[in-house]
Amino acid sequence: MLIALEGVDGAGKTTQTRLLAAALEARGRAAVLTREPTEGPHGRQLRRYLAGRTRHLSPEEELELFTADRRDHVRETIAPALAAGLVVITDRYYYSSAAYQGALGLDPAGIIAINEAFAPRPHLVFILSLSLERALARLREKRQHAPQVSEAPDYLSKVAAVYDTFQGDHLHRVDASGPPEAVHSRILTITLDFLQ
Ligand code: TYD
């Protein structure tokens, strides 16, 4: 089973992926926790780029790099873990490309189509949503590095607007403004329902 957590920077995805993996493990379901950008060569290149001063790549070039990183991710981590019968939980997946590169003017539906040609569709996608003010406040609180070029407020508001347009039975919007335990409980309930 493949589960993706999505949402704007500051929504709490990383905390929630960890809580979900721990809760599944406690119920005897082995889970693999993974994330994008990956630790592979394209992922490392992307992190350096995002931490840089300027967003000098074109939207198409960004999309190409994130897609290359995702191909590595699917081939090296996701597909083997699914084949081994594990639950895979990924912190960001191709909906991030649709939302973030879509917010730069590319067509989100086209981006999803490019990805679904090689990347398995998740059984569940949780889109964590909270107001931009709250997301930015959280980013400021936990900031250990200078803001990434992808964290500019005007840009994140466009990203959130694209996330709002996604539709599908496998997509679940979760209000992420409450305490982490409350958000977790909602995510876990939906996941356990699905597993039964
Ligand atoms: P992020 O989750 O912030 O990683 P970390 O917490 O390790 O810094 O991801 C980095 C940024 O990359 C984030 O702002 C979203 C952006 N991103 C895209 O623009 N497109 C994509 O396809 C992905 C996966 C991420």
PDB file of all heavy atoms in Angstrom, residues 144-170:
ATOM      1  N   GLN A 144      15.512  26.342  10.764  1.00  0.00           N
ATOM      2  CA  GLN A 144      16.912  26.157  11.137  1.00  0.00           C
ATOM      3  C   GLN A 144      17.804  26.594   9.996  1.00  0.00           C
ATOM      4  O   GLN A 144      19.007  26.550  10.080  1.00  0.00           O
ATOM      5  CB  GLN A 144      17.175  24.674  11.466  1.00  0.00           C
ATOM      6  CG  GLN A 144      16.579  24.306  12.815  1.00  0.00           C
ATOM      7  CD  GLN A 144      16.306  22.822  12.917  1.00  0.00           C
ATOM      8  OE1 GLN A 144      16.512  22.084  11.971  1.00  0.00           O
ATOM      9  NE2 GLN A 144      15.820  22.400  14.056  1.00  0.00           N
ATOM     10  N   HIS A 145      17.190  26.987   8.893  1.00  0.00           N
ATOM     11  CA  HIS A 145      17.978  27.393   7.743  1.00  0.00           C
ATOM     12  C   HIS A 145      17.312  28.629   7.156  1.00  0.00           C
ATOM     13  O   HIS A 145      16.178  28.953   7.508  1.00  0.00           O
ATOM     14  CB  HIS A 145      18.026  26.262   6.711  1.00  0.00           C
ATOM     15  CG  HIS A 145      16.658  25.765   6.283  1.00  0.00           C
ATOM     16  ND1 HIS A 145      15.846  26.472   5.429  1.00  0.00           N
ATOM     17  CD2 HIS A 145      15.960  24.657   6.613  1.00  0.00           C
ATOM     18  CE1 HIS A 145      14.710  25.798   5.237  1.00  0.00           C
ATOM     19  NE2 HIS A 145      14.751  24.699   5.948  1.00  0.00           N
ATOM     20  N   ALA A 146      18.018  29.307   6.255  1.00  0.00           N
ATOM     21  CA  ALA A 146      17.415  30.458   5.584  1.00  0.00           C
ATOM     22  C   ALA A 146      16.228  29.955   4.763  1.00  0.00           C
ATOM     23  O   ALA A 146      16.209  28.790   4.359  1.00  0.00           O
ATOM     24  CB  ALA A 146      18.457  31.101   4.675  1.00  0.00           C
ATOM     25  N   PRO A 147      15.213  30.813   4.533  1.00  0.00           N
ATOM     26  CA  PRO A 147      14.055  30.356   3.764  1.00  0.00           C
ATOM     27  C   PRO A 147      14.474  29.787   2.405  1.00  0.00           C
ATOM     28  O   PRO A 147      15.390  30.300   1.770  1.00  0.00           O
ATOM     29  CB  PRO A 147      13.235  31.626   3.565  1.00  0.00           C
ATOM     30  CG  PRO A 147      13.722  32.589   4.576  1.00  0.00           C
ATOM     31  CD  PRO A 147      15.127  32.214   4.922  1.00  0.00           C
ATOM     32  N   GLN A 148      13.814  28.707   1.986  1.00  0.00           N
ATOM     33  CA  GLN A 148      14.076  28.168   0.644  1.00  0.00           C
ATOM     34  C   GLN A 148      13.372  29.071  -0.363  1.00  0.00           C
ATOM     35  O   GLN A 148      12.368  29.701  -0.031  1.00  0.00           O
ATOM     36  CB  GLN A 148      13.503  26.752   0.533  1.00  0.00           C
ATOM     37  CG  GLN A 148      14.088  25.775   1.534  1.00  0.00           C
ATOM     38  CD  GLN A 148      13.559  24.353   1.321  1.00  0.00           C
ATOM     39  OE1 GLN A 148      14.306  23.413   1.414  1.00  0.00           O
ATOM     40  NE2 GLN A 148      12.283  24.205   1.040  1.00  0.00           N
ATOM     41  N   VAL A 149      13.868  29.044  -1.599  1.00  0.00           N
ATOM     42  CA  VAL A 149      13.226  29.904  -2.611  1.00  0.00           C
ATOM     43  C   VAL A 149      11.773  29.494  -2.829  1.00  0.00           C
ATOM     44  O   VAL A 149      10.961  30.275  -3.305  1.00  0.00           O
ATOM     45  CB  VAL A 149      13.975  29.895  -3.962  1.00  0.00           C
ATOM     46  CG1 VAL A 149      15.305  30.621  -3.840  1.00  0.00           C
ATOM     47  CG2 VAL A 149      14.171  28.488  -4.489  1.00  0.00           C
ATOM     48  N   SER A 150      11.450  28.242  -2.451  1.00  0.00           N
ATOM     49  CA  SER A 150      10.082  27.757  -2.629  1.00  0.00           C
ATOM     50  C   SER A 150       9.159  28.181  -1.497  1.00  0.00           C
ATOM     51  O   SER A 150       7.997  27.820  -1.484  1.00  0.00           O
ATOM     52  CB  SER A 150      10.111  26.231  -2.717  1.00  0.00           C
ATOM     53  OG  SER A 150      10.832  25.695  -1.614  1.00  0.00           O
ATOM     54  N   GLU A 151       9.661  28.944  -0.517  1.00  0.00           N
ATOM     55  CA  GLU A 151       8.844  29.284   0.643  1.00  0.00           C
ATOM     56  C   GLU A 151       8.360  30.738   0.664  1.00  0.00           C
ATOM     57  O   GLU A 151       7.903  31.222   1.695  1.00  0.00           O
ATOM     58  CB  GLU A 151       9.618  28.979   1.945  1.00  0.00           C
ATOM     59  CG  GLU A 151       9.823  27.480   2.149  1.00  0.00           C
ATOM     60  CD  GLU A 151      10.705  27.143   3.355  1.00  0.00           C
ATOM     61  OE1 GLU A 151      11.161  28.067   4.058  1.00  0.00           O
ATOM     62  OE2 GLU A 151      10.932  25.944   3.579  1.00  0.00           O
ATOM     63  N   ALA A 152       8.448  31.436  -0.463  1.00  0.00           N
ATOM     64  CA  ALA A 152       7.968  32.821  -0.509  1.00  0.00           C
ATOM     65  C   ALA A 152       6.448  32.838  -0.329  1.00  0.00           C
ATOM     66  O   ALA A 152       5.753  32.043  -0.949  1.00  0.00           O
ATOM     67  CB  ALA A 152       8.350  33.444  -1.843  1.00  0.00           C
ATOM     68  N   PRO A 153       5.927  33.744   0.539  1.00  0.00           N
ATOM     69  CA  PRO A 153       4.488  33.748   0.844  1.00  0.00           C
ATOM     70  C   PRO A 153       3.570  33.828  -0.385  1.00  0.00           C
ATOM     71  O   PRO A 153       2.608  33.066  -0.473  1.00  0.00           O
ATOM     72  CB  PRO A 153       4.321  34.981   1.739  1.00  0.00           C
ATOM     73  CG  PRO A 153       5.658  35.154   2.382  1.00  0.00           C
ATOM     74  CD  PRO A 153       6.673  34.697   1.382  1.00  0.00           C
ATOM     75  N   ASP A 154       3.864  34.713  -1.323  1.00  0.00           N
ATOM     76  CA  ASP A 154       2.968  34.853  -2.485  1.00  0.00           C
ATOM     77  C   ASP A 154       2.932  33.557  -3.285  1.00  0.00           C
ATOM     78  O   ASP A 154       1.897  33.148  -3.807  1.00  0.00           O
ATOM     79  CB  ASP A 154       3.456  35.958  -3.428  1.00  0.00           C
ATOM     80  CG  ASP A 154       3.285  37.319  -2.803  1.00  0.00           C
ATOM     81  OD1 ASP A 154       2.694  37.376  -1.701  1.00  0.00           O
ATOM     82  OD2 ASP A 154       3.757  38.305  -3.403  1.00  0.00           O
ATOM     83  N   TYR A 155       4.090  32.930  -3.378  1.00  0.00           N
ATOM     84  CA  TYR A 155       4.184  31.680  -4.118  1.00  0.00           C
ATOM     85  C   TYR A 155       3.409  30.582  -3.397  1.00  0.00           C
ATOM     86  O   TYR A 155       2.613  29.860  -4.010  1.00  0.00           O
ATOM     87  CB  TYR A 155       5.662  31.314  -4.286  1.00  0.00           C
ATOM     88  CG  TYR A 155       5.903  29.985  -4.949  1.00  0.00           C
ATOM     89  CD1 TYR A 155       5.384  29.711  -6.220  1.00  0.00           C
ATOM     90  CD2 TYR A 155       6.644  29.000  -4.322  1.00  0.00           C
ATOM     91  CE1 TYR A 155       5.605  28.490  -6.830  1.00  0.00           C
ATOM     92  CE2 TYR A 155       6.874  27.778  -4.925  1.00  0.00           C
ATOM     93  CZ  TYR A 155       6.346  27.526  -6.176  1.00  0.00           C
ATOM     94  OH  TYR A 155       6.558  26.314  -6.775  1.00  0.00           O
ATOM     95  N   LEU A 156       3.605  30.468  -2.071  1.00  0.00           N
ATOM     96  CA  LEU A 156       2.908  29.404  -1.328  1.00  0.00           C
ATOM     97  C   LEU A 156       1.400  29.577  -1.395  1.00  0.00           C
ATOM     98  O   LEU A 156       0.656  28.597  -1.367  1.00  0.00           O
ATOM     99  CB  LEU A 156       3.372  29.384   0.141  1.00  0.00           C
ATOM    100  CG  LEU A 156       4.731  28.735   0.394  1.00  0.00           C
ATOM    101  CD1 LEU A 156       4.983  28.617   1.894  1.00  0.00           C
ATOM    102  CD2 LEU A 156       4.836  27.362  -0.260  1.00  0.00           C
ATOM    103  N   SER A 157       0.924  30.808  -1.491  1.00  0.00           N
ATOM    104  CA  SER A 157      -0.524  30.984  -1.592  1.00  0.00           C
ATOM    105  C   SER A 157      -1.032  30.446  -2.935  1.00  0.00           C
ATOM    106  O   SER A 157      -2.106  29.844  -3.014  1.00  0.00           O
ATOM    107  CB  SER A 157      -0.905  32.440  -1.304  1.00  0.00           C
ATOM    108  OG  SER A 157      -1.340  33.083  -2.439  1.00  0.00           O
ATOM    109  N   LYS A 158      -0.225  30.584  -3.979  1.00  0.00           N
ATOM    110  CA  LYS A 158      -0.604  29.981  -5.273  1.00  0.00           C
ATOM    111  C   LYS A 158      -0.545  28.457  -5.198  1.00  0.00           C
ATOM    112  O   LYS A 158      -1.395  27.762  -5.755  1.00  0.00           O
ATOM    113  CB  LYS A 158       0.348  30.450  -6.381  1.00  0.00           C
ATOM    114  CG  LYS A 158       0.114  31.870  -6.803  1.00  0.00           C
ATOM    115  CD  LYS A 158       0.956  32.197  -8.039  1.00  0.00           C
ATOM    116  CE  LYS A 158       1.062  33.704  -8.203  1.00  0.00           C
ATOM    117  NZ  LYS A 158       2.259  34.112  -8.922  1.00  0.00           N
ATOM    118  N   VAL A 159       0.472  27.952  -4.516  1.00  0.00           N
ATOM    119  CA  VAL A 159       0.610  26.498  -4.363  1.00  0.00           C
ATOM    120  C   VAL A 159      -0.625  25.933  -3.653  1.00  0.00           C
ATOM    121  O   VAL A 159      -1.215  24.933  -4.083  1.00  0.00           O
ATOM    122  CB  VAL A 159       1.896  26.153  -3.551  1.00  0.00           C
ATOM    123  CG1 VAL A 159       1.944  24.686  -3.185  1.00  0.00           C
ATOM    124  CG2 VAL A 159       3.141  26.558  -4.343  1.00  0.00           C
ATOM    125  N   ALA A 160      -1.040  26.611  -2.579  1.00  0.00           N
ATOM    126  CA  ALA A 160      -2.212  26.149  -1.816  1.00  0.00           C
ATOM    127  C   ALA A 160      -3.453  26.153  -2.712  1.00  0.00           C
ATOM    128  O   ALA A 160      -4.284  25.237  -2.646  1.00  0.00           O
ATOM    129  CB  ALA A 160      -2.429  27.045  -0.595  1.00  0.00           C
ATOM    130  N   ALA A 161      -3.565  27.168  -3.571  1.00  0.00           N
ATOM    131  CA  ALA A 161      -4.723  27.253  -4.464  1.00  0.00           C
ATOM    132  C   ALA A 161      -4.735  26.081  -5.446  1.00  0.00           C
ATOM    133  O   ALA A 161      -5.802  25.541  -5.774  1.00  0.00           O
ATOM    134  CB  ALA A 161      -4.724  28.594  -5.205  1.00  0.00           C
ATOM    135  N   VAL A 162      -3.571  25.656  -5.917  1.00  0.00           N
ATOM    136  CA  VAL A 162      -3.545  24.503  -6.831  1.00  0.00           C
ATOM    137  C   VAL A 162      -3.909  23.227  -6.060  1.00  0.00           C
ATOM    138  O   VAL A 162      -4.693  22.405  -6.544  1.00  0.00           O
ATOM    139  CB  VAL A 162      -2.179  24.341  -7.548  1.00  0.00           C
ATOM    140  CG1 VAL A 162      -2.249  23.184  -8.550  1.00  0.00           C
ATOM    141  CG2 VAL A 162      -1.759  25.614  -8.254  1.00  0.00           C
ATOM    142  N   TYR A 163      -3.367  23.065  -4.846  1.00  0.00           N
ATOM    143  CA  TYR A 163      -3.734  21.885  -4.038  1.00  0.00           C
ATOM    144  C   TYR A 163      -5.258  21.799  -3.883  1.00  0.00           C
ATOM    145  O   TYR A 163      -5.830  20.713  -3.889  1.00  0.00           O
ATOM    146  CB  TYR A 163      -3.093  21.950  -2.645  1.00  0.00           C
ATOM    147  CG  TYR A 163      -1.724  21.311  -2.532  1.00  0.00           C
ATOM    148  CD1 TYR A 163      -0.624  22.037  -2.090  1.00  0.00           C
ATOM    149  CD2 TYR A 163      -1.527  19.961  -2.838  1.00  0.00           C
ATOM    150  CE1 TYR A 163       0.631  21.454  -1.960  1.00  0.00           C
ATOM    151  CE2 TYR A 163      -0.277  19.371  -2.714  1.00  0.00           C
ATOM    152  CZ  TYR A 163       0.790  20.120  -2.275  1.00  0.00           C
ATOM    153  OH  TYR A 163       2.028  19.522  -2.157  1.00  0.00           O
ATOM    154  N   ASP A 164      -5.915  22.962  -3.743  1.00  0.00           N
ATOM    155  CA  ASP A 164      -7.376  22.982  -3.550  1.00  0.00           C
ATOM    156  C   ASP A 164      -8.139  22.438  -4.757  1.00  0.00           C
ATOM    157  O   ASP A 164      -9.293  22.073  -4.643  1.00  0.00           O
ATOM    158  CB  ASP A 164      -7.855  24.422  -3.281  1.00  0.00           C
ATOM    159  CG  ASP A 164      -7.559  24.855  -1.846  1.00  0.00           C
ATOM    160  OD1 ASP A 164      -7.256  23.970  -1.018  1.00  0.00           O
ATOM    161  OD2 ASP A 164      -7.629  26.073  -1.573  1.00  0.00           O
ATOM    162  N   THR A 165      -7.514  22.419  -5.937  1.00  0.00           N
ATOM    163  CA  THR A 165      -8.243  21.996  -7.140  1.00  0.00           C
ATOM    164  C   THR A 165      -8.198  20.476  -7.364  1.00  0.00           C
ATOM    165  O   THR A 165      -8.953  19.955  -8.165  1.00  0.00           O
ATOM    166  CB  THR A 165      -7.648  22.658  -8.410  1.00  0.00           C
ATOM    167  OG1 THR A 165      -6.309  22.170  -8.599  1.00  0.00           O
ATOM    168  CG2 THR A 165      -7.624  24.177  -8.300  1.00  0.00           C
ATOM    169  N   PHE A 166      -7.298  19.762  -6.671  1.00  0.00           N
ATOM    170  CA  PHE A 166      -7.170  18.323  -6.931  1.00  0.00           C
ATOM    171  C   PHE A 166      -8.416  17.581  -6.474  1.00  0.00           C
ATOM    172  O   PHE A 166      -8.968  17.874  -5.426  1.00  0.00           O
ATOM    173  CB  PHE A 166      -5.944  17.739  -6.207  1.00  0.00           C
ATOM    174  CG  PHE A 166      -4.629  18.328  -6.639  1.00  0.00           C
ATOM    175  CD1 PHE A 166      -3.551  18.379  -5.772  1.00  0.00           C
ATOM    176  CD2 PHE A 166      -4.473  18.840  -7.923  1.00  0.00           C
ATOM    177  CE1 PHE A 166      -2.337  18.925  -6.171  1.00  0.00           C
ATOM    178  CE2 PHE A 166      -3.256  19.382  -8.325  1.00  0.00           C
ATOM    179  CZ  PHE A 166      -2.193  19.428  -7.442  1.00  0.00           C
ATOM    180  N   GLN A 167      -8.817  16.591  -7.284  1.00  0.00           N
ATOM    181  CA  GLN A 167      -9.994  15.796  -6.940  1.00  0.00           C
ATOM    182  C   GLN A 167      -9.740  14.328  -7.168  1.00  0.00           C
ATOM    183  O   GLN A 167      -8.950  13.951  -8.020  1.00  0.00           O
ATOM    184  CB  GLN A 167     -11.170  16.220  -7.830  1.00  0.00           C
ATOM    185  CG  GLN A 167     -11.749  17.556  -7.426  1.00  0.00           C
ATOM    186  CD  GLN A 167     -12.857  18.001  -8.354  1.00  0.00           C
ATOM    187  OE1 GLN A 167     -13.411  17.176  -9.070  1.00  0.00           O
ATOM    188  NE2 GLN A 167     -13.137  19.281  -8.348  1.00  0.00           N
ATOM    189  N   GLY A 168     -10.434  13.493  -6.418  1.00  0.00           N
ATOM    190  CA  GLY A 168     -10.297  12.040  -6.596  1.00  0.00           C
ATOM    191  C   GLY A 168     -10.680  11.348  -5.300  1.00  0.00           C
ATOM    192  O   GLY A 168     -10.522  11.920  -4.223  1.00  0.00           O
ATOM    193  N   ASP A 169     -11.179  10.102  -5.434  1.00  0.00           N
ATOM    194  CA  ASP A 169     -11.629   9.363  -4.256  1.00  0.00           C
ATOM    195  C   ASP A 169     -10.482   9.033  -3.314  1.00  0.00           C
ATOM    196  O   ASP A 169     -10.691   8.774  -2.138  1.00  0.00           O
ATOM    197  CB  ASP A 169     -12.289   8.039  -4.681  1.00  0.00           C
ATOM    198  CG  ASP A 169     -13.629   8.302  -5.349  1.00  0.00           C
ATOM    199  OD1 ASP A 169     -14.143   9.436  -5.210  1.00  0.00           O
ATOM    200  OD2 ASP A 169     -14.144   7.384  -6.013  1.00  0.00           O
ATOM    201  N   HIS A 170      -9.259   8.973  -3.875  1.00  0.00           N
ATOM    202  CA  HIS A 170      -8.114   8.628  -3.031  1.00  0.00           C
ATOM    203  C   HIS A 170      -7.531   9.845  -2.308  1.00  0.00           C
ATOM    204  O   HIS A 170      -6.605   9.720  -1.537  1.00  0.00           O
ATOM    205  CB  HIS A 170      -7.037   7.934  -3.877  1.00  0.00           C
ATOM    206  CG  HIS A 170      -6.528   8.787  -5.012  1.00  0.00           C
ATOM    207  ND1 HIS A 170      -7.355   9.403  -5.923  1.00  0.00           N
ATOM    208  CD2 HIS A 170      -5.255   9.146  -5.351  1.00  0.00           C
ATOM    209  CE1 HIS A 170      -6.621  10.092  -6.785  1.00  0.00           C
ATOM    210  NE2 HIS A 170      -5.363   9.949  -6.461  1.00  0.00           N
TER     211      HIS A 170
END
